[in-house]
Amino acid sequence: EDQVTQSPEALRLQEGESSSLNCSYTVSGLRGLFWYRQDPGKGPEFLFTLYSAGEEKEKERLKATLTKKESFLHITAPKPEDSATYLCAVHPNPRISNFGNEKLTFGTGTRLTIIP
Amino acid sequence: DGGITQSPKYLFRKEGQNVTLSCEQNLNHDAMYWYRQDPGQGLRLIYYSQIVNDFQKGDIAEGYSVSREKKESFPLTVTSAQKNPTAFYLCATGDWTSTDTQYFGPGTRLTVL
């Protein structure tokens, strides 16, 4: 069974204080690992997809990295507007698992708060 | 304006009533999904559809029903059999042939009184 575990559950940082969010996963053949940002009362907003170990992607103050067992979302010099819940999800290879069905398995998220 | 629309944004119903949540997309994506989100539990898959006139149960389908008569529409009915229907419901589409990404709508918050 595919599993995604995110840590920590919540993280409070001072503005400008860099840190990392962790997403550990087990999956029978990874097609892709997704990161989303979700603001309270809104739908998740797509950030990145990572496909293979060693891959990195950046967007503004965010950088996502991937290994064979986990992904990290690094946030550099965060600002208050970066406060949100960050969700990680795995997309198993439908040729290997899920009987050909395309569906994601999500973690429970990390709630990030940046204090001015 | 392209995207995924969910209506209404807030919905209140009395216990024992069925209620239908709307999800429409104009992205021309084949796959559509319904998730339920509760505090501390992340996103749980209710139903999904990979093609018109076909759909599959997700992890928590009991008490819910769907239809997929048109590519653009994937309505979710929360029936009276659902024991704890109060939650935030999210509709999503999947583009697995081009951008290889799942996109989410704005959500509907259902409160059962």
Side-chain angles (χ1 to χ4, degrees):
Chain A
E1 184 180 337
D2 305 323
Q3 287 191 332
V4 178
T5 303
Q6 291 189 247
S7 61
E9 288 186 13
L11 181 62
R12 291 171 62 89
L13 300 172
Q14 292 292 134
E15 184 174 358
E17 180 185 2
S18 301
S19 188
S20 296
L21 313 182
N22 177 263
C23 172
S24 298
Y25 66 91
T26 55
V27 63
S28 304
L30 180 69
R31 174 168 167 171
L33 185 140
F34 294 79
W35 282 98
Y36 289 86
R37 170 193 169 125
Q38 186 176 24
D39 293 306
K42 297 189 176 181
E45 174 190 348
F46 171 74
L47 292 174
F48 307 107
T49 308
L50 302 167
Y51 293 100
S52 57
E55 187 175 2
E56 298 183 353
K57 289 192 176 175
E58 290 188 59
K59 181 179 181 179
E60 296 182 352
R61 294 174 293 281
L62 299 175
K63 183 170 79 173
T65 62
L66 181 66
T67 72
K68 289 186 178 180
K69 295 183 178 180
E70 56 191 349
S71 177
F72 293 93
L73 185 64
H74 308 277
I75 182 161
T76 302
K79 298 181 179 182
E81 53 262 41
D82 295 321
S83 297
T85 295
Y86 290 86
L87 300 171
C88 171
V90 294
H91 182 193
N93 188 329
R95 296 179 182 177
I96 298 175
S97 63
N98 287 342
F99 306 102
N101 294 316
E102 306 270 14
K103 56 178 182 174
L104 307 187
T105 297
F106 282 82
T108 54
T110 293
R111 188 173 67 254
L112 178 65
T113 303
I114 308 300
I115 305 164
Chain B
D1 190 20
I4 305 167
T5 57
Q6 291 186 244
S7 60
K9 185 173 182 179
Y10 299 98
L11 189 56
F12 297 89
R13 280 294 181 268
K14 292 183 179 179
E15 193 171 342
Q17 289 182 334
N18 291 355
V19 61
T20 297
L21 281 58
S22 170
C23 179
E24 302 282 331
Q25 58 112 348
N26 62 2
L27 300 170
N28 200 35
H29 294 164
D30 288 319
M32 296 188 74
Y33 305 80
W34 274 106
Y35 292 90
R36 169 180 173 143
Q37 189 173 36
D38 297 282
Q41 295 202 44
L43 296 175
R44 292 187 290 168
L45 183 63
I46 304 173
Y47 268 99
Y48 63 105
S49 168
Q50 299 192 135
I51 197 167
V52 175
N53 293 321
D54 188 41
F55 50 82
Q56 289 81 38
K57 292 182 178 179
D59 301 316
I60 56 164
E62 186 176 351
Y64 300 96
S65 66
V66 294
S67 63
R68 187 85 186 276
E69 297 177 0
K70 299 186 299 182
K71 188 175 186 177
E72 301 80 16
S73 179
F74 191 41
L76 174 74
T77 296
V78 184
T79 75
S80 57
Q82 168 51 231
K83 295 181 180 179
N84 297 298
T86 294
F88 188 51
Y89 289 88
L90 286 160
C91 177
T93 67
D95 178 15
W96 307 121
T97 58
S98 178
T99 63
D100 206 28
T101 302
Q102 186 169 88
Y103 302 91
F104 284 86
T108 292
R109 183 164 298 280
L110 172 64
T111 302
V112 176
L113 307 172

